Amino acid sequence: MVVTATVALLAAATASMILGAVHVPFSDIWQSLTGQAEEGPLRQIVVELRLPRTVSAIVVGAALGVAGALLQGALANPLASPDVIGVTGGAGFGAMLTLLVWPSAIALLPVGALVFGVTAAGIVFLIGWSGAHAGAIGRVILAGIAITALFSAATTSLMVAYSDRVQSAIFWIAGGLSSDGWSSLSVVWPYFSVGFVMAIFLARPLDRLALGDDVAASLGGRPRLVRLAAAAAAALLASSAAAIAGLLGFLGLVIPHLVRLAGGTASHRFVIPASALTGAALLVAADTLARVVLAPIELPVGPLMVVLGVPLFLWLLREAV
Amino acid sequence: MGPMNRLVVAVFLALLLFAAPAQAAPRVAALTPFSASTITRLGVRPVVVGQTLGGTDQYLASLKGVPVLTLTHPLGPNMEQLATYNPSIVLSSKTWQRGSAPMRRLGMKVYESDPTSVAAVGRETRAIGKLLGRTRAANSLATKIENDVRAAQQGIKRRLRVLLILGVGRTPYAMLANSWGGDVVAKAGGQLLTNGLTAPSGIVRISDEIVVQRNPDIIIAVPHGNPGAISKLAKYYASNPNWRNTKAVKNKRVYVATGNQLLQPYPGVAATIRSVRAKFLKNY
């Protein structure tokens, strides 16, 4: 499974570099990437448009896959995804605030999505990990649903109040990468890094947590702390992903299931890295399709990714049953 | 009957004729700026107008004082508010299509009119005139608009390549030839970078690769912002690293068009064409 996902990712990344609205001969792509090409439009297309976009798709796809795996493991709930802890609702509100209310501050869009995504998750954690039954799964999920509803309602209100400006916000909601070079990635890479490093260290504790809180505690683990750390890492990864690519919740929900079904194991030491590879491969492939299907028009990635991923997921689900 | 009596009868009949109640002017709700402007020019004062979105730079002064309906409701106006003005005719738009059926159920005659091309302005003016029983005045106005448009297009010296974008964001949302703004720029002598590309909405997100390859002479951005933010937005668009090698950026020809002249149709389209030529294309 890991080998297949790696090969799929390499193939998708290669296609992403080769294909686009403008035909660039392979020799020019190679020379541009190896620094041998002269300054000109083709070099600019390869180095400043396609390369950062491909790298962004890899990072965002991996982040959403890992975020889903962490949340489903931490909350022991197959329906867990970044939506459940309020990240999607918060990030969406932060982005709409910039796009609709302060369009002249558009440069702050990634920051707005990141800050509000993390804030929404923070509120959920505060409610979920305080009071009676602190850290109980049901409490966290219900808090997440409530906070998501709150931010979604605020987002809808903004869209109604600024209905003449909604057009420029639709693409962000549909989810998709933009050719903005390295600027967005340069803002959020530290958060991605922290999230990925936390995920690596959480794989083993999450495996223990899968045995049940009592067993995990008897093995020396701290179930509530592990759950909080996993949810926090997922919030960082999903908010950072939303800052770059908008709302792509589908990846976080489906990729871990797809990986577990294909790999035949639920061990987080397998699911987390395999989800990263598969999520990256799927997003890069979907983004490439979005750029070339109706070129030079760019389609939103979200719906395309669903078209690609759902048949594969349903086939695996049928095979597993 | 003597001549005097005949005269008296004739005067009496004439008085009766003139004293007969004149045909009541239709009570019109004009929800779009285009329809509000058009019917005012046809001599019909709307009982209520729709809120003008995106700026009031082309709003007729004579419409001042006419009640304004907010249009953020999904059906267009709030039906209860609209009903209080008791309009017999509602000039709406495809945008508010969902509201047409409820309006008809309330006994209102609904006509959806919002031209997306310069050529449609005359056509729609005639259609509205016919609906209001002002056919002759509408024909005259439409002909004047068409003649003015032809005059505004005179003397175009060169056709520069233009990227016309809507909204804010690093990836351009291009206004195509079948959008209002795209058609106005084309009529003003701009050659749209998107060539003959069309889409149902007239606006699509296009690849930056095409922008780099086709290298626009001029970039006109139509953001949703306040006039006060023009310089900030112009700096933002010009700083887009993907566009730094375009002729538009190198020659400092990235413009920001606030107001709604490229967003919404108006009968004064000839003036808009002249303004686009003078301010942005500079092709006189």
Side-chain angles (χ1 to χ4, degrees):
Chain A
M1 170 67 202
V2 172
V3 174
T4 309
T6 308
V7 171
L9 175 57
L10 287 174
T14 308
S16 175
M17 289 304 299
I18 292 173
L19 303 172
V22 172
H23 171 68
V24 184
F26 187 76
S27 56
D28 285 331
I29 294 172
W30 181 253
Q31 285 174 354
S32 299
L33 290 176
T34 53
Q36 298 165 39
E38 289 175 12
E39 277 289 333
L42 293 186
R43 184 188 175 281
Q44 191 188 353
I45 286 170
V46 173
V47 176
E48 296 176 27
L49 298 180
R50 289 190 192 171
L51 182 62
R53 186 152 173 166
T54 305
V55 173
S56 296
I58 291 172
V59 175
V60 169
L64 288 171
V66 171
L70 288 172
L71 282 173
Q72 286 168 18
L75 302 180
N77 189 316
L79 294 176
S81 73
D83 300 2
V84 169
I85 52 167
V87 170
T88 309
F93 175 75
M96 287 307 115
L97 208 58
T98 313
L99 282 165
L100 302 178
V101 184
W102 293 292
S104 56
I106 181 68
L108 295 175
L109 175 65
V111 180
L114 178 72
V115 167
F116 278 93
V118 171
T119 303
I123 298 171
V124 172
F125 298 160
L126 204 65
I127 298 168
W129 269 271
S130 62
H133 307 293
I137 291 170
R139 191 182 170 91
V140 176
I141 290 176
L142 284 174
I145 289 170
I147 295 301
T148 299
L150 194 70
F151 276 101
S152 298
T155 303
T156 308
S157 304
L158 282 182
M159 291 173 78
V160 170
Y162 294 88
S163 56
D164 58 321
R165 302 179 178 185
V166 166
Q167 182 83 39
S168 55
I170 287 174
F171 213 94
W172 194 90
I173 293 170
L177 292 141
S178 59
S179 301
D180 66 346
W182 300 104
S183 60
S184 295
L185 207 54
S186 66
V187 172
V188 293
W189 75 265
Y191 308 100
F192 276 124
S193 307
V194 172
F196 281 126
V197 169
M198 284 175 77
I200 291 168
F201 287 105
L202 281 164
R204 207 177 284 271
L206 281 173
D207 278 342
R208 283 199 290 266
L209 198 64
L211 302 171
D213 284 12
D214 294 340
V215 179
S218 70
L219 291 172
R222 298 172 67 184
R224 287 182 183 180
L225 185 64
V226 170
R227 199 167 281 131
L228 180 62
L236 270 182
L237 289 170
S239 301
S240 308
I244 293 182
L247 305 182
L248 295 171
F250 167 81
L251 266 178
L253 176 66
V254 168
I255 291 295
H257 287 294
L258 206 145
V259 164
R260 278 191 288 267
L261 288 168
T265 172
S267 165
H268 289 90
R269 277 170 288 172
F270 164 77
V271 173
I272 288 176
S275 294
L277 288 169
T278 311
L282 187 62
L283 185 54
V284 175
D287 181 57
T288 308
L289 272 180
R291 286 188 287 126
V292 299
V293 168
L294 287 178
I297 295 172
E298 291 199 357
L299 300 173
V301 175
L304 257 182
M305 208 168 50
V306 173
V307 170
L308 277 180
V310 166
L312 180 63
F313 177 66
L314 291 178
W315 177 75
L316 278 168
L317 198 62
R318 191 164 169 264
E319 292 296 300
V321 170
Chain B
M1 189 185 284
M4 197 58 197
N5 288 344
R6 277 203 293 272
L7 181 67
V8 170
V9 171
V11 168
F12 180 70
L13 285 174
L15 279 173
L16 268 182
L17 189 68
F18 285 108
Q23 192 187 0
R27 291 179 62 80
V28 184
L31 300 187
T32 65
F34 171 75
S35 59
S37 257
T38 301
I39 68 168
T40 305
R41 285 172 161 90
L42 294 177
V44 176
R45 188 172 169 82
V47 292
V48 64
V49 294
Q51 168 193 29
T52 301
L53 304 171
T56 54
D57 51 325
Q58 296 193 75
Y59 209 68
L60 287 180
S62 52
L63 283 169
K64 216 171 177 181
V66 177
V68 178
L69 280 175
T70 304
L71 292 173
T72 52
H73 194 275
L75 303 176
N78 179 292
M79 289 300 147
E80 291 183 10
Q81 283 184 335
L82 179 66
T84 59
Y85 294 100
N86 191 26
S88 55
I89 296 174
V90 179
L91 298 175
S92 186
S93 130
K94 292 254 181 286
T95 311
W96 312 116
Q97 206 168 24
R98 276 185 62 195
S100 296
M103 288 174 201
R104 287 191 181 107
R105 277 199 294 275
L106 290 171
M108 302 165 194
K109 194 173 189 176
V110 183
Y111 180 68
E112 290 160 4
S113 170
D114 214 4
T116 54
S117 71
V118 174
V121 171
R123 204 164 52 234
E124 286 299 317
T125 303
R126 289 186 177 93
I128 290 173
K130 197 174 167 189
L131 191 74
L132 302 182
R134 301 280 201 281
T135 309
R136 193 183 294 172
N139 281 340
S140 163
L141 176 62
T143 305
K144 184 180 180 312
I145 291 169
E146 286 156 355
N147 289 340
D148 285 351
V149 166
R150 271 192 289 275
Q153 290 178 274
Q154 294 291 313
I156 293 171
K157 286 177 186 161
R158 57 204 171 113
R159 294 190 176 269
L160 295 173
R161 187 170 283 177
V162 181
L163 171 64
L164 180 66
I165 56 171
L166 174 71
V168 291
R170 282 295 191 202
T171 303
Y173 232 111
M175 294 172 82
L176 306 178
N178 65 326
S179 68
W180 171 255
D183 195 41
V184 167
V185 169
K187 292 285 187 296
Q191 183 197 339
L192 292 177
L193 176 131
T194 46
N195 285 336
L197 196 66
T198 59
S201 66
I203 298 159
V204 290
R205 186 174 135 156
I206 62 159
S207 166
D208 258 327
E209 293 185 11
I210 286 294
V211 179
V212 170
Q213 188 199 41
R214 294 188 185 166
N215 197 2
D217 299 292
I218 295 169
I219 295 173
I220 303 173
V222 188
H224 298 297
N226 306 318
I230 288 181
S231 60
K232 201 173 173 184
L233 285 165
K235 206 178 279 179
Y236 165 75
Y237 288 115
S239 71
N240 186 334
N242 300 335
W243 299 347
R244 71 172 197 281
N245 290 328
T246 60
K247 284 185 263 183
V249 172
K250 283 182 175 170
N251 298 328
K252 295 189 168 49
R253 298 201 67 180
V254 179
Y255 302 108
V256 175
T258 55
N260 54 4
Q261 58 178 339
L262 292 176
L263 289 171
Q264 289 179 332
Y266 276 91
V269 59
T272 302
I273 291 174
R274 274 192 287 272
S275 158
V276 168
R277 290 186 64 184
K279 279 193 209 163
F280 308 136
L281 304 185
K282 302 184 196 300
N283 61 2
Y284 275 106

